[in-house]
């Protein structure tokens, strides 16, 4: 083991430390730096600079050795990563390879990770819906997990604050369980999607909806976006490569440069956080212990407040590994709940159909997002044999009938109306119920190359998920059928938990230290200068995408932490 770095404590001391540079970590750094706090942000992976470190961003399909697909050798070497849709030649350099960062699966769990500055903010699908009180009140109403310590009113102004900075396109759709926000113009629906939207509204009396997706794409740049150096989305549909225009939101294009220009940010990449350092005399955390990813050197950094934003599972790992005489089972873990009640989203179901109509219409461009069916099951009352519900993302496309000619003739044929009609598909995103049995824990024997215990994953689907899947098949098929669509097919995606990156929980929020780890401001009950605002903090999973909520929770928590610092309470 490398010797402890003996630089002076002062050189390694900051006002705040943020662990992780992804969506929530970038926001923590931005907010802390803007408030004048000298902030250290730590990233376990390599540095990635906006624009200059996007090597494939302008490549054409024929410029990839295997036309975009990973080679057979790469697939065999990465059976977990290669099951993810993002693992292709244009973006797999942003995805963790299986052998580099192992973990132990008690049950199948496809943990897709992005270890670099920016994290998975370079790879996300950019879907951004607000949660509502139907989500925050769900556990209390339906009798699972514990009650959220916050409600929509607590987060609404922070949603607005974040949305204006990020740039969210969408429409004000006036749906009670999907609150409207601060929107830029939405992307237009296709003719098929408009037809389906109108049909659903009539068929179901306004209780179901198909709307334009709400997504983190700049469709009409505002001054706050040009100040960030970001430009209008170019509809390239190559977002996972890194956007040189900053047309979609990432930490690399937005929050990290914004934090850096304050002069208060220090960023250290290749820095694997081993644990949080807890001072038993002061009864608070005083810093973090870091292993250099390249040479194994151990360094301790110190700060008055610490934000853990390493991504849900890694934040659980850090806290579980932060063991002291006071907290032998992990920092703040008197309840024994740390690492338990892991939730995720169920992406098992897909329904597709042919549309033998709309032959006069054409499609003449790309669109980086699609349409969205908000949850419609068990919203106001329990009406099914399963708890909670699901949403769906939808996309339609023209059946191309290209000419065998090349060049301008081919291009013209692709822009002509189709004689074959259209296709449409809906992808399920179901809410899973957090359970104590869905958990992560440290292995007692095996460690990684930095001496950190490997995680054991024990996360699985249950009967509620299966019942929900069958209902998704039935209801979406019915909507497609009554809309006049043909050749309706249902399919199981075979995606394991973890495959869609929406893992949540393990360090959940709540009212009581006996049943939760964090309070209503994401502050650890038993270590008050440590805050968790990534997916680990989530009490339940909702049917909305979680990233916007992580950002709003982070901005709110920093504001609270800063006020406590000023009052000398931390």
């Amino acid at each position: 083991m490398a010797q402890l770095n003996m630089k002076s404590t002062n050189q390694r001391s900051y006002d705040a430390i943020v662990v992780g540079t992804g969506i929530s970590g970038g926001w923590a750094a931005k907010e802390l730096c803007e408030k004048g706090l000298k902030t250290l942000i730590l990233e376990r992976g390599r540095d990635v600079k906006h624009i200059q470190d996007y090597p494939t961003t302008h490549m054409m399909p024929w410029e990839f050795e295997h036309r975009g697909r990973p080679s057979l050798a790469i697939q065999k070497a990465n059976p977990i990563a290669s099951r993810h849709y993002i693992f292709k030649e244009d973006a797999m350099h942003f995805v963790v390879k299986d052998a580099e960062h192992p973990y132990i699966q008690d049950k199948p769990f496809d943990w897709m990770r992005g270890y670099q500055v920016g994290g998975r903010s370079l790879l996300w699908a950019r879907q951004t819906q607000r949660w509502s009180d139907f989500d925050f009140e769900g556990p209390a109403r339906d009798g699972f997990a514990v009650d959220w310590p916050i409600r929509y009113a607590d987060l609404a102004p922070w949603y607005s604050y974040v949305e204006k900075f990020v740039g969210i396109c969408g429409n004000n759709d006036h749906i009670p369980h999907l609150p409207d926000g601060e929107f830029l113009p939405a992307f237009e629906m296709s003719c098929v999607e408009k037809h389906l939207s109108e049909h659903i509204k009539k068929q179901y009396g306004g209780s179901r909806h198909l709307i334009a997706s709400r997504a983190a794409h700049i469709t009409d740049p505002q001054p706050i976006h040009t100040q960030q150096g970001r430009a209008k989305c170019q509809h390239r549909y190559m977002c996972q490569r890194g956007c040189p225009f900053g047309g979609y939101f990432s930490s690399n294009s937005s929050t990290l440069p914004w934090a850096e220009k304050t002069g208060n940010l220090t960023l250290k990449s290749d820095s694997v956080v081993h644990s949080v350092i807890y001072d038993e005399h002061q009864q608070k955390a005083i810093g973090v212990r870091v292993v250099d990813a390249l040479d194994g050197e151990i360094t301790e950094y110190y700060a008055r407040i610490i934000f853990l934003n390493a991504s849900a599972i890694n934040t659980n790992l850090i806290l579980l590994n932060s063991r002291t005489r006071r907290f032998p089972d992990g920092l703040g873990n008197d309840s024994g709940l740390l690492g338990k009640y892991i939730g995720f989203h169920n992406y098992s179901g897909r329904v597709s159909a042919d549309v033998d109509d709309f032959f006069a219409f054409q499609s003449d461009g790309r669109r980086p997002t699609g349409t969205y069916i908000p949850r419609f099951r068990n919203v106001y009352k329990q009406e099914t044999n399963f708890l909670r519900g699901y949403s769906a993302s939808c996309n339609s496309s023209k059946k191309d009938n290209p000419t065998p000619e090349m060049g301008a003739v081919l291009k013209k044929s692709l822009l002509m109306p189709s004689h074959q009609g259209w296709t449409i598909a809906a992808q399920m995103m179901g809410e899973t119920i957090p359970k104590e049995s869905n958990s992560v824990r440290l292995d007692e024997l095996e460690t990684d190359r930095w001496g950190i215990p490997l995680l054991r994953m024990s996360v699985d689907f249950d009967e509620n998920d299966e019942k929900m899947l069958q209902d998704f098949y039935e209801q979406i098929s019915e909507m497609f059928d009554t809309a006049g669509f043909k050749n309706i097919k249902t399919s199981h995606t075979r995606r394991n938990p973890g495959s869609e990156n929406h893992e949540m929980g393990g360090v959940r929020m709540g009212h009581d230290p006996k049943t939760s780890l964090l309070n209503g401001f994401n502050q650890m009950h038993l270590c008050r200068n440590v805050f968790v605002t990534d997916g680990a903090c989530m009490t339940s999973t909702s049917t909305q995408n979680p990233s916007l909520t992580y950002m709003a929770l982070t901005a709110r928590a920093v504001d609270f932490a800063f006020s406590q610092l000023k009052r000398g309470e931390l």
Side-chain angles (χ1 to χ4, degrees):
M1 182 64 70
Q3 293 298 310
L4 184 66
N5 189 316
M6 298 304 294
K7 293 179 181 177
S8 73
T9 301
N10 288 340
Q11 288 179 305
R12 293 176 280 118
S13 295
Y14 299 84
D15 296 317
I17 292 174
V18 178
V19 180
T21 59
I23 279 178
S24 63
W27 263 95
K30 169 192 173 293
E31 295 297 298
L32 291 163
C33 288
E34 280 191 304
K35 294 182 184 301
L37 300 182
K38 296 295 182 182
T39 301
L40 171 66
I41 189 167
L42 298 164
E43 168 58 50
R44 69 178 294 152
R46 64 188 175 91
D47 195 9
V48 170
K49 298 293 186 188
H50 180 49
I51 303 178
Q52 70 187 55
D53 290 327
Y54 304 155
T56 62
T57 190
H58 291 304
M59 290 175 65
M60 294 293 106
W62 56 86
E63 295 183 276
F64 293 97
E65 184 178 0
H66 303 99
R67 299 298 187 263
R69 298 188 65 179
S71 69
L72 183 59
I74 290 176
Q75 292 181 55
K76 287 183 175 179
N78 296 277
I80 298 171
S82 62
R83 283 197 288 267
H84 197 275
Y85 69 90
I86 213 77
F87 195 75
K88 296 181 175 64
E89 277 189 301
D90 64 346
M92 63 186 183
H93 50 280
F94 289 144
V95 180
V96 166
K97 308 307 183 289
D98 290 7
E100 296 173 359
H101 300 273
Y103 59 99
I104 301 169
Q105 301 180 63
D106 291 336
K107 298 175 182 178
F109 191 93
D110 291 346
W111 192 12
M112 201 285 287
R113 294 159 287 173
Y115 290 165
Q116 63 267 323
V117 169
R120 293 189 313 214
S121 75
L122 290 168
L123 300 170
W124 67 312
R126 307 162 306 281
Q127 301 302 292
T128 44
Q129 308 97 11
R130 294 187 181 198
W131 285 30
S132 74
D133 277 336
F134 292 91
D135 305 300
F136 291 114
E137 294 174 359
R141 189 191 81 171
D142 295 337
F144 66 95
V146 294
D147 184 26
W148 277 86
I150 59 172
R151 292 295 186 262
Y152 177 68
D154 297 307
L155 216 52
W158 297 102
Y159 276 135
S160 293
Y161 176 75
V162 165
E163 287 165 343
K164 291 174 183 177
F165 189 86
V166 168
I168 307 295
C169 64
N171 294 316
N172 287 315
D173 300 294
H174 311 299
I175 300 171
H177 50 286
L178 192 73
D180 294 326
E182 309 289 339
F183 294 138
L184 304 173
F187 289 102
E188 187 178 4
M189 289 187 185
S190 73
C191 54
V192 172
E193 292 158 356
K194 290 177 181 177
H195 164 73
L196 181 60
S197 177
E198 293 167 1
H199 164 74
I200 289 174
K201 190 177 298 183
K202 293 178 182 177
Q203 179 76 12
Y204 298 97
S207 63
R208 303 186 185 186
H209 308 268
L210 175 69
I211 63 174
S213 289
R214 300 170 180 182
H217 285 269
I218 297 175
T219 54
D220 180 20
Q222 301 301 302
I224 189 61
H225 306 129
T226 56
Q227 290 170 29
Q228 296 172 47
R230 299 170 61 201
K232 184 177 180 179
C233 173
Q234 302 296 299
H235 299 212
R236 298 188 330 139
Y237 200 59
M238 298 186 289
C239 310
Q240 70 278 2
R241 302 181 183 186
C243 180
F245 308 97
Y248 77 84
F249 172 83
S250 70
S251 297
N252 309 66
S253 67
S254 179
T255 46
L256 291 178
W258 193 270
E260 188 174 20
K261 73 180 182 180
T262 66
N264 293 322
L265 183 69
T266 300
L267 188 155
K268 291 185 181 294
S269 56
D270 297 305
S271 298
V272 181
V273 174
H274 174 280
S275 54
V276 176
I277 304 167
Y278 181 77
D279 186 298
E280 298 192 10
H281 176 71
Q282 298 183 58
Q283 297 185 12
K284 67 178 183 180
I286 58 172
V288 297
R289 187 169 292 108
V290 173
V291 184
D292 189 290
L294 304 179
D295 63 19
E297 183 178 34
I298 300 174
T299 307
E300 294 182 351
Y301 296 98
Y302 304 98
R304 299 161 67 192
I305 55 173
I306 297 167
F307 271 72
L308 295 181
N309 302 90
S311 80
I313 302 301
N314 273 323
T315 288
N316 275 274
L317 170 58
I318 291 168
L319 289 171
L320 285 165
N321 200 42
S322 301
R323 295 177 283 196
T324 64
R325 286 182 299 174
R326 169 64 185 87
F327 295 114
D329 299 316
L331 184 64
N333 191 27
D334 284 0
S335 65
L337 296 176
L338 181 60
K340 298 179 180 179
Y341 293 95
I342 300 294
F344 56 98
H345 279 140
N346 181 358
Y347 277 81
S348 297
R350 188 173 186 271
V351 181
S352 61
D354 292 329
V355 185
D356 298 334
D357 201 346
F358 305 100
F359 300 110
F361 293 86
Q362 64 189 55
S363 175
D364 62 356
R366 292 168 293 195
R367 183 181 61 176
T369 186
T371 54
Y372 181 73
I373 298 176
R375 172 187 169 191
F376 55 86
R377 294 303 242 174
N378 303 325
V379 178
Y380 291 97
K381 62 180 181 179
Q382 184 65 36
E383 57 188 354
T384 69
N385 65 347
F386 59 87
L387 291 179
R388 312 304 289 159
Y390 51 83
S391 61
S393 58
C394 287
N395 269 292
S396 64
S397 60
K398 177 171 66 74
K399 293 181 181 178
D400 291 323
N401 187 22
T403 173
E405 303 291 334
M406 300 297 288
V409 177
L410 173 61
K411 182 177 180 180
K412 183 177 180 180
S413 74
L414 291 172
L415 295 176
M416 293 293 289
S418 174
H419 297 295
Q420 297 179 322
W422 294 66
T423 62
I424 189 168
Q427 170 69 62
M428 171 189 186
M429 189 172 87
E431 178 172 358
T432 63
I433 305 304
K435 304 181 294 293
E436 187 172 9
S437 59
N438 276 352
S439 62
V440 298
R441 68 186 190 280
L442 301 182
D443 189 79
E444 296 299 324
L445 299 175
E446 294 193 59
T447 61
D448 62 20
R449 70 178 80 170
W450 302 287
I452 298 171
L454 294 187
L455 265 183
R456 299 192 72 97
M457 311 289 231
S458 184
V459 179
D460 203 357
F461 295 108
D462 62 14
E463 184 180 3
N464 197 73
D465 300 319
E466 180 59 31
K467 291 178 179 178
M468 187 183 295
L469 173 62
Q470 296 306 314
D471 191 77
F472 168 81
Y473 286 151
E474 294 169 6
Q475 297 303 314
I476 301 298
S477 295
E478 176 187 285
M479 285 190 265
F480 282 3
D481 180 55
T482 57
F485 301 163
K486 307 296 183 183
N487 193 28
I488 299 169
K489 297 179 180 178
T490 63
S491 58
H492 198 295
T493 64
R494 305 300 172 191
R495 292 180 181 174
N496 293 324
S499 67
E500 286 299 331
N501 325 126
H502 292 175
E503 57 269 12
M504 293 174 251
V507 196
R508 68 185 182 187
M509 299 171 69
H511 298 281
D512 189 343
K514 294 180 181 179
T515 58
S516 62
L517 280 296
L518 308 173
N519 67 16
F521 288 96
N522 298 80
Q523 180 184 41
M524 293 201 79
H525 289 302
L526 303 181
C527 188
R528 297 179 60 253
N529 64 331
V530 173
F531 295 79
V532 176
T533 63
D534 61 12
C537 77
M538 303 298 272
T539 304
S540 60
T541 70
S542 172
T543 60
Q544 282 85 277
N545 295 70
S547 298
L548 181 67
T549 298
Y550 299 164
M551 292 188 268
L553 285 171
T554 301
R556 179 174 177 266
V558 170
D559 185 72
F560 173 78
F562 183 66
S563 68
Q564 287 213 316
L565 271 180
K566 287 197 301 183
R567 293 197 299 266
E569 296 178 9
L570 289 181

